[in-house]
Amino acid sequence: MILLWTISLLLGTVAGTEVCYDKIGCFTDNAPWSGVSGRPGKSLPKSPQVVNTRFLLYTNENQGSYQVIVADASSIKNSNFKTSRKTRFIIHGFTDTGENSWLSNICKNLFKVESVNCICVDWKGGSQASYPQASLNIQIVGAEVAYFVKVLQSSLGYSPSNVHVIGHSLGAHAAGEAGRRSSGAIGRITGLDPAEPYFQDTDALVRLDPTDAKFVDVIHTDASPFVPNLGFGMSQNVGHLDFFPNGGKSMPECKSRLATETVDLEEKGARFSLTCNHLKCLDYYTESILAPNGFTAYPCASYTDFTANKCKTCPSGGCPQMGHYADKFSGKTSAVNQVFYLKTA
């Protein structure tokens, strides 16, 4: 009996519409996770073995090559991870991989301005599936990150408030799941164009929302409706601060390139020009790390008013910087769904 119980924990025990795994908890196909408007069908995320979440650690000491670590005290202690530093997890999206260059490029820029534990989260085993399945698999990724944070806290005395999770597209919602399963104790979550399909206007449990961390900031760059315009990102405000550069729908570089050529973006999982807007948030965040005052954003009732120069002055509390330094804004958590606009070059 004990042997069967142990095997069921390791492999996952299905009871009706719920499956549970050792360490990371349980998952269900009940509402609001599936079978509801915006999330059709009834299905469960794939197992942790299939999703195969890996943690690739870069630090100031090993900037050019990662160390694979697991959520175990000895693995972490035997790596270059230092509890004196902040920890920033970076989570990729649909069809992507944690070894793609944009994740390590963020780490490289971070090393120029701080000492940091930069962990690229690879879940290609779950992201390279059909989109509906991948949108469910993010629950496993979020739970794995939450468990890692739990180990840091329980075994190394590391505060979750020193953790920052950065997620792109589906990865933004995985970050939200990590925050939810950490009871909102994570210091910060940054959503880089959170994915729209299966998440827009859904219950806050299944998507990124302001309760997932002490501070949640979001950059929207592809917020046109998925139908009919194929906008992959959410238009819904889901953070404390929601930034809409260039109005959040069409980025200048993408518009000019689409007019002249079919663009190969040279990124695995994002080879078509139609994903350009969805990917520009990665450029903006990466650049913002080295430009503390380069992305000033302004509160405004609409982008139309902003482009009419009706909102080009900052209120008494100042204006936030979109990107890495958004957390320096004094009013960052004074309210939720604060909207800001800016233009980029």
Side-chain angles (χ1 to χ4, degrees):
M1 178 67 73
I2 293 176
L3 178 60
L4 289 174
W5 179 79
T6 302
I7 292 173
S8 71
L9 282 178
L10 291 174
L11 298 181
T13 303
V14 178
T17 56
E18 184 178 79
V19 60
C20 297
Y21 299 102
D22 187 28
K23 298 180 181 178
I24 64 172
C26 298
F27 306 85
T28 178
D29 65 359
N30 288 332
W33 302 100
S34 60
V36 296
S37 177
R39 297 179 69 86
K42 295 278 283 184
S43 189
L44 290 164
K46 295 297 184 181
S47 70
Q49 289 79 12
V50 171
V51 176
N52 191 29
T53 306
R54 298 191 304 150
F55 298 98
L56 315 179
L57 172 67
Y58 294 89
T59 71
N60 297 69
E61 291 75 33
N62 58 297
Q63 298 184 20
S65 60
Y66 58 76
Q67 298 175 325
V68 179
I69 57 175
V70 298
D72 173 80
S74 61
S75 176
I76 298 168
K77 289 177 180 178
N78 289 328
S79 72
N80 287 336
F81 185 99
K82 288 182 169 54
T83 56
S84 58
R85 298 168 169 169
K86 280 194 173 183
T87 300
R88 304 191 194 272
F89 292 87
I90 309 173
I91 310 177
H92 64 81
F94 180 50
T95 74
D96 212 342
T97 166
E99 297 183 63
N100 209 336
S101 60
W102 70 263
L103 295 92
S104 58
N105 285 342
I106 289 180
C107 292
K108 289 174 184 176
N109 273 11
L110 289 172
F111 298 139
K112 295 176 182 178
V113 300
E114 65 182 8
S115 293
V116 64
N117 306 306
C118 193
I119 301 176
C120 299
V121 180
D122 177 72
W123 61 286
K124 61 179 176 288
S127 72
Q128 296 176 354
S130 68
Y131 183 84
Q133 185 61 59
S135 72
L136 294 169
N137 293 342
I138 61 103
Q139 298 172 62
I140 298 292
V141 183
E144 296 275 21
V145 173
Y147 180 71
F148 198 109
V149 173
K150 180 180 178 181
V151 170
L152 289 177
Q153 183 177 25
S154 61
S155 299
L156 283 80
Y158 191 84
S159 174
S161 64
N162 289 323
V163 171
H164 178 196
V165 187
I166 304 165
H168 174 238
S169 191
L170 285 181
H173 299 299
E177 180 69 0
R180 185 184 72 85
R181 287 179 176 262
S182 300
S183 302
I186 286 175
R188 179 182 177 187
I189 291 175
T190 297
L192 302 177
D193 210 38
E196 175 192 332
Y198 286 36
F199 295 96
Q200 177 95 4
D201 297 322
T202 59
D203 192 290
L205 279 177
V206 307
R207 58 167 172 79
L208 178 63
D209 86 284
T211 67
D212 292 329
K214 296 180 183 296
F215 171 51
V216 178
D217 60 303
V218 183
I219 301 175
H220 302 264
T221 55
D222 196 20
S224 297
F226 183 68
V227 178
N229 306 118
L230 283 181
F232 295 106
M234 302 179 84
S235 60
Q236 181 180 4
N237 301 327
V238 291
H240 290 96
L241 308 183
D242 284 80
F243 297 93
F244 291 83
N246 309 303
K249 295 180 180 180
S250 181
M251 301 303 104
E253 181 186 350
C254 298
K255 186 183 296 185
S256 64
R257 296 175 78 184
L258 281 170
T260 58
E261 62 180 330
T262 300
V263 182
D264 184 345
L265 296 177
E266 298 177 352
E267 293 286 356
K268 291 180 181 178
R271 293 195 177 101
F272 302 103
S273 57
L274 58 84
T275 63
C276 183
N277 291 319
H278 193 43
L279 293 169
K280 284 307 294 181
C281 56
L282 307 180
D283 292 338
Y284 296 155
Y285 191 89
T286 304
E287 293 174 15
S288 76
I289 298 168
L290 303 182
N293 300 302
F295 290 90
T296 304
Y298 300 84
C300 204
S302 69
Y303 189 59
T304 300
D305 284 353
F306 178 76
T307 55
N309 292 317
K310 295 180 179 180
C311 314
K312 286 298 182 70
T313 58
C314 295
S316 58
C319 287
Q321 295 292 319
M322 181 184 76
H324 188 63
Y325 299 100
D327 62 345
K328 305 300 182 186
F329 179 50
S330 61
K332 63 180 182 291
T333 56
S334 60
V336 299
N337 304 150
Q338 302 176 68
V339 175
F340 298 87
Y341 297 99
L342 68 153
K343 284 187 176 182
T344 64

mmCIF file of all heavy atoms in Angstrom, residues 15 18 21 28 41 57 81-82 117 124 128 138 152 175 194 217 221 238 251 262 264 271 282 303 311 323 332 335 342:
data_model
loop_
_atom_site.group_PDB
_atom_site.id
_atom_site.type_symbol
_atom_site.label_atom_id
_atom_site.label_comp_id
_atom_site.label_asym_id
_atom_site.label_seq_id
_atom_site.Cartn_x
_atom_site.Cartn_y
_atom_site.Cartn_z
ATOM 1 N N ALA A 15 -8.158 11.805 -9.987
ATOM 2 C CA ALA A 15 -9.405 11.528 -9.284
ATOM 3 C C ALA A 15 -10.488 12.368 -9.930
ATOM 4 O O ALA A 15 -10.642 13.543 -9.620
ATOM 5 C CB ALA A 15 -9.269 11.851 -7.802
ATOM 6 N N GLU A 18 -9.401 15.950 -11.374
ATOM 7 C CA GLU A 18 -8.258 16.537 -10.673
ATOM 8 C C GLU A 18 -7.061 15.596 -10.736
ATOM 9 O O GLU A 18 -7.206 14.383 -10.671
ATOM 10 C CB GLU A 18 -8.617 16.795 -9.207
ATOM 11 C CG GLU A 18 -7.518 17.507 -8.423
ATOM 12 C CD GLU A 18 -7.919 17.797 -6.986
ATOM 13 O OE1 GLU A 18 -7.855 16.854 -6.154
ATOM 14 O OE2 GLU A 18 -8.296 18.940 -6.700
ATOM 15 N N TYR A 21 0.295 16.144 -7.993
ATOM 16 C CA TYR A 21 1.689 15.738 -8.110
ATOM 17 C C TYR A 21 2.439 16.103 -6.838
ATOM 18 O O TYR A 21 2.155 17.135 -6.197
ATOM 19 C CB TYR A 21 2.353 16.427 -9.313
ATOM 20 C CG TYR A 21 1.713 16.093 -10.631
ATOM 21 C CD1 TYR A 21 0.851 17.001 -11.242
ATOM 22 C CD2 TYR A 21 1.953 14.872 -11.257
ATOM 23 C CE1 TYR A 21 0.254 16.695 -12.450
ATOM 24 C CE2 TYR A 21 1.361 14.556 -12.461
ATOM 25 C CZ TYR A 21 0.505 15.469 -13.062
ATOM 26 O OH TYR A 21 -0.099 15.161 -14.252
ATOM 27 N N THR A 28 -6.972 20.987 -11.839
ATOM 28 C CA THR A 28 -8.313 20.514 -12.179
ATOM 29 C C THR A 28 -8.743 21.034 -13.536
ATOM 30 O O THR A 28 -8.216 22.062 -14.015
ATOM 31 C CB THR A 28 -9.335 20.973 -11.115
ATOM 32 O OG1 THR A 28 -10.641 20.533 -11.488
ATOM 33 C CG2 THR A 28 -9.343 22.490 -10.974
ATOM 34 N N GLY A 41 -13.579 23.439 -24.061
ATOM 35 C CA GLY A 41 -13.053 22.094 -23.885
ATOM 36 C C GLY A 41 -12.801 21.777 -22.423
ATOM 37 O O GLY A 41 -12.858 22.642 -21.551
ATOM 38 N N LEU A 57 20.513 28.812 -14.518
ATOM 39 C CA LEU A 57 21.028 29.916 -13.703
ATOM 40 C C LEU A 57 22.225 30.597 -14.351
ATOM 41 O O LEU A 57 23.250 29.971 -14.633
ATOM 42 C CB LEU A 57 21.430 29.400 -12.316
ATOM 43 C CG LEU A 57 22.155 30.406 -11.409
ATOM 44 C CD1 LEU A 57 21.225 31.544 -11.003
ATOM 45 C CD2 LEU A 57 22.719 29.695 -10.176
ATOM 46 N N PHE A 81 24.421 30.602 -7.144
ATOM 47 C CA PHE A 81 23.323 31.364 -6.539
ATOM 48 C C PHE A 81 23.784 31.960 -5.212
ATOM 49 O O PHE A 81 24.393 31.286 -4.396
ATOM 50 C CB PHE A 81 22.114 30.445 -6.302
ATOM 51 C CG PHE A 81 20.883 31.148 -5.801
ATOM 52 C CD1 PHE A 81 19.873 31.497 -6.677
ATOM 53 C CD2 PHE A 81 20.733 31.472 -4.452
ATOM 54 C CE1 PHE A 81 18.727 32.143 -6.227
ATOM 55 C CE2 PHE A 81 19.593 32.118 -3.997
ATOM 56 C CZ PHE A 81 18.594 32.456 -4.888
ATOM 57 N N LYS A 82 23.484 33.237 -4.999
ATOM 58 C CA LYS A 82 23.835 33.911 -3.753
ATOM 59 C C LYS A 82 22.600 34.534 -3.128
ATOM 60 O O LYS A 82 21.852 35.270 -3.787
ATOM 61 C CB LYS A 82 24.912 34.977 -3.999
ATOM 62 C CG LYS A 82 26.293 34.401 -4.306
ATOM 63 C CD LYS A 82 27.336 35.499 -4.483
ATOM 64 C CE LYS A 82 28.753 34.925 -4.526
ATOM 65 N NZ LYS A 82 28.923 33.875 -5.523
ATOM 66 N N ASN A 117 20.864 36.920 -9.335
ATOM 67 C CA ASN A 117 20.642 35.540 -9.739
ATOM 68 C C ASN A 117 19.610 35.588 -10.867
ATOM 69 O O ASN A 117 18.446 35.915 -10.630
ATOM 70 C CB ASN A 117 20.088 34.704 -8.579
ATOM 71 C CG ASN A 117 20.947 34.779 -7.339
ATOM 72 O OD1 ASN A 117 22.142 34.521 -7.383
ATOM 73 N ND2 ASN A 117 20.337 35.139 -6.208
ATOM 74 N N LYS A 124 10.087 24.054 -22.693
ATOM 75 C CA LYS A 124 9.771 23.726 -24.081
ATOM 76 C C LYS A 124 9.005 22.418 -24.213
ATOM 77 O O LYS A 124 8.277 22.214 -25.176
ATOM 78 C CB LYS A 124 11.027 23.692 -24.943
ATOM 79 C CG LYS A 124 12.087 22.674 -24.560
ATOM 80 C CD LYS A 124 13.268 22.736 -25.533
ATOM 81 C CE LYS A 124 14.394 21.809 -25.131
ATOM 82 N NZ LYS A 124 15.114 22.292 -23.933
ATOM 83 N N GLN A 128 5.865 23.628 -26.625
ATOM 84 C CA GLN A 128 5.847 23.186 -28.011
ATOM 85 C C GLN A 128 4.774 22.121 -28.214
ATOM 86 O O GLN A 128 5.018 21.006 -28.663
ATOM 87 C CB GLN A 128 7.241 22.704 -28.418
ATOM 88 C CG GLN A 128 8.253 23.835 -28.385
ATOM 89 C CD GLN A 128 9.681 23.413 -28.679
ATOM 90 O OE1 GLN A 128 9.977 22.231 -28.818
ATOM 91 N NE2 GLN A 128 10.587 24.379 -28.752
ATOM 92 N N ILE A 138 0.949 25.963 -18.601
ATOM 93 C CA ILE A 138 1.570 27.041 -17.823
ATOM 94 C C ILE A 138 1.280 26.882 -16.332
ATOM 95 O O ILE A 138 2.030 27.401 -15.496
ATOM 96 C CB ILE A 138 1.129 28.431 -18.310
ATOM 97 C CG1 ILE A 138 -0.373 28.645 -18.178
ATOM 98 C CG2 ILE A 138 1.575 28.657 -19.740
ATOM 99 C CD1 ILE A 138 -0.773 29.493 -17.015
ATOM 100 N N LEU A 152 13.598 28.160 -1.560
ATOM 101 C CA LEU A 152 14.487 29.268 -1.217
ATOM 102 C C LEU A 152 14.150 29.830 0.158
ATOM 103 O O LEU A 152 15.042 30.133 0.964
ATOM 104 C CB LEU A 152 14.374 30.381 -2.267
ATOM 105 C CG LEU A 152 14.965 30.122 -3.646
ATOM 106 C CD1 LEU A 152 14.677 31.305 -4.566
ATOM 107 C CD2 LEU A 152 16.473 29.873 -3.564
ATOM 108 N N ALA A 175 3.845 33.203 -14.784
ATOM 109 C CA ALA A 175 4.333 34.033 -13.677
ATOM 110 C C ALA A 175 3.202 34.338 -12.709
ATOM 111 O O ALA A 175 3.380 34.314 -11.479
ATOM 112 C CB ALA A 175 4.936 35.324 -14.215
ATOM 113 N N PRO A 194 1.195 39.872 -22.114
ATOM 114 C CA PRO A 194 0.518 38.625 -21.737
ATOM 115 C C PRO A 194 -0.413 38.129 -22.841
ATOM 116 O O PRO A 194 -1.096 38.923 -23.498
ATOM 117 C CB PRO A 194 -0.278 39.025 -20.482
ATOM 118 C CG PRO A 194 0.456 40.209 -19.934
ATOM 119 C CD PRO A 194 0.986 40.945 -21.118
ATOM 120 N N ASP A 217 3.636 44.871 -12.997
ATOM 121 C CA ASP A 217 3.680 45.823 -14.106
ATOM 122 C C ASP A 217 3.595 45.071 -15.424
ATOM 123 O O ASP A 217 4.105 43.947 -15.547
ATOM 124 C CB ASP A 217 4.921 46.712 -14.045
ATOM 125 C CG ASP A 217 6.229 45.935 -14.107
ATOM 126 O OD1 ASP A 217 6.433 45.045 -13.247
ATOM 127 O OD2 ASP A 217 7.065 46.205 -14.993
ATOM 128 N N THR A 221 2.058 45.343 -26.185
ATOM 129 C CA THR A 221 2.549 45.769 -27.504
ATOM 130 C C THR A 221 1.782 45.147 -28.674
ATOM 131 O O THR A 221 2.048 45.503 -29.824
ATOM 132 C CB THR A 221 4.046 45.426 -27.670
ATOM 133 O OG1 THR A 221 4.244 44.024 -27.418
ATOM 134 C CG2 THR A 221 4.907 46.251 -26.728
ATOM 135 N N VAL A 238 -4.187 44.300 -16.476
ATOM 136 C CA VAL A 238 -4.048 43.182 -15.537
ATOM 137 C C VAL A 238 -2.954 43.426 -14.499
ATOM 138 O O VAL A 238 -2.549 42.505 -13.791
ATOM 139 C CB VAL A 238 -3.782 41.855 -16.293
ATOM 140 C CG1 VAL A 238 -5.020 41.423 -17.065
ATOM 141 C CG2 VAL A 238 -2.579 41.973 -17.220
ATOM 142 N N MET A 251 3.572 48.576 -33.310
ATOM 143 C CA MET A 251 4.845 49.197 -33.000
ATOM 144 C C MET A 251 5.480 49.752 -34.276
ATOM 145 O O MET A 251 5.416 49.116 -35.338
ATOM 146 C CB MET A 251 5.782 48.193 -32.339
ATOM 147 C CG MET A 251 5.221 47.589 -31.031
ATOM 148 S SD MET A 251 4.788 48.799 -29.761
ATOM 149 C CE MET A 251 2.978 48.822 -29.874
ATOM 150 N N THR A 262 8.842 40.495 -45.952
ATOM 151 C CA THR A 262 8.494 39.437 -45.017
ATOM 152 C C THR A 262 9.677 39.254 -44.096
ATOM 153 O O THR A 262 10.779 38.943 -44.543
ATOM 154 C CB THR A 262 8.185 38.117 -45.752
ATOM 155 O OG1 THR A 262 7.095 38.347 -46.631
ATOM 156 C CG2 THR A 262 7.822 37.026 -44.754
ATOM 157 N N ASP A 264 12.036 37.738 -41.217
ATOM 158 C CA ASP A 264 12.425 36.589 -40.412
ATOM 159 C C ASP A 264 13.067 37.141 -39.142
ATOM 160 O O ASP A 264 14.137 37.729 -39.157
ATOM 161 C CB ASP A 264 13.435 35.724 -41.161
ATOM 162 C CG ASP A 264 13.795 34.460 -40.384
ATOM 163 O OD1 ASP A 264 13.486 34.403 -39.180
ATOM 164 O OD2 ASP A 264 14.379 33.554 -40.993
ATOM 165 N N ARG A 271 9.084 33.090 -35.973
ATOM 166 C CA ARG A 271 9.783 33.345 -37.224
ATOM 167 C C ARG A 271 8.972 34.174 -38.216
ATOM 168 O O ARG A 271 9.422 34.454 -39.298
ATOM 169 C CB ARG A 271 10.188 32.024 -37.875
ATOM 170 C CG ARG A 271 11.244 31.247 -37.091
ATOM 171 C CD ARG A 271 11.846 30.152 -37.962
ATOM 172 N NE ARG A 271 12.903 29.456 -37.251
ATOM 173 C CZ ARG A 271 12.742 28.269 -36.667
ATOM 174 N NH1 ARG A 271 11.585 27.676 -36.703
ATOM 175 N NH2 ARG A 271 13.750 27.685 -36.047
ATOM 176 N N LEU A 282 9.917 42.575 -25.696
ATOM 177 C CA LEU A 282 11.194 42.006 -25.259
ATOM 178 C C LEU A 282 12.318 42.999 -25.498
ATOM 179 O O LEU A 282 13.202 43.173 -24.654
ATOM 180 C CB LEU A 282 11.475 40.700 -26.007
ATOM 181 C CG LEU A 282 10.373 39.635 -25.964
ATOM 182 C CD1 LEU A 282 10.800 38.402 -26.755
ATOM 183 C CD2 LEU A 282 10.031 39.266 -24.532
ATOM 184 N N TYR A 303 -5.080 56.943 -25.818
ATOM 185 C CA TYR A 303 -3.922 57.199 -26.665
ATOM 186 C C TYR A 303 -4.214 58.344 -27.636
ATOM 187 O O TYR A 303 -3.313 59.081 -28.029
ATOM 188 C CB TYR A 303 -3.534 55.942 -27.432
ATOM 189 C CG TYR A 303 -2.213 56.080 -28.156
ATOM 190 C CD1 TYR A 303 -1.040 56.359 -27.454
ATOM 191 C CD2 TYR A 303 -2.137 55.938 -29.542
ATOM 192 C CE1 TYR A 303 0.183 56.491 -28.120
ATOM 193 C CE2 TYR A 303 -0.922 56.067 -30.210
ATOM 194 C CZ TYR A 303 0.224 56.345 -29.493
ATOM 195 O OH TYR A 303 1.425 56.483 -30.145
ATOM 196 N N CYS A 311 -1.519 65.164 -22.645
ATOM 197 C CA CYS A 311 -1.047 64.496 -21.424
ATOM 198 C C CYS A 311 0.471 64.410 -21.389
ATOM 199 O O CYS A 311 1.028 63.362 -21.069
ATOM 200 C CB CYS A 311 -1.637 63.100 -21.323
ATOM 201 S SG CYS A 311 -3.403 62.964 -21.639
ATOM 202 N N GLY A 323 9.210 49.440 -18.035
ATOM 203 C CA GLY A 323 10.291 48.469 -18.088
ATOM 204 C C GLY A 323 10.926 48.222 -16.739
ATOM 205 O O GLY A 323 10.272 48.235 -15.695
ATOM 206 N N LYS A 332 3.416 53.284 -7.474
ATOM 207 C CA LYS A 332 3.265 52.028 -8.222
ATOM 208 C C LYS A 332 2.142 51.130 -7.715
ATOM 209 O O LYS A 332 1.511 50.423 -8.494
ATOM 210 C CB LYS A 332 4.584 51.262 -8.248
ATOM 211 C CG LYS A 332 5.120 50.790 -6.906
ATOM 212 C CD LYS A 332 6.439 50.048 -7.093
ATOM 213 C CE LYS A 332 7.006 49.517 -5.784
ATOM 214 N NZ LYS A 332 7.472 50.621 -4.918
ATOM 215 N N ALA A 335 -2.873 52.150 -6.649
ATOM 216 C CA ALA A 335 -4.124 51.661 -7.236
ATOM 217 C C ALA A 335 -3.772 50.555 -8.223
ATOM 218 O O ALA A 335 -2.606 50.347 -8.550
ATOM 219 C CB ALA A 335 -4.871 52.794 -7.949
ATOM 220 N N LEU A 342 3.167 56.082 -23.920
ATOM 221 C CA LEU A 342 4.416 56.701 -24.356
ATOM 222 C C LEU A 342 4.646 56.358 -25.816
ATOM 223 O O LEU A 342 4.023 55.441 -26.353
ATOM 224 C CB LEU A 342 5.596 56.220 -23.510
ATOM 225 C CG LEU A 342 6.028 54.743 -23.647
ATOM 226 C CD1 LEU A 342 7.501 54.594 -23.310
ATOM 227 C CD2 LEU A 342 5.184 53.841 -22.743
#
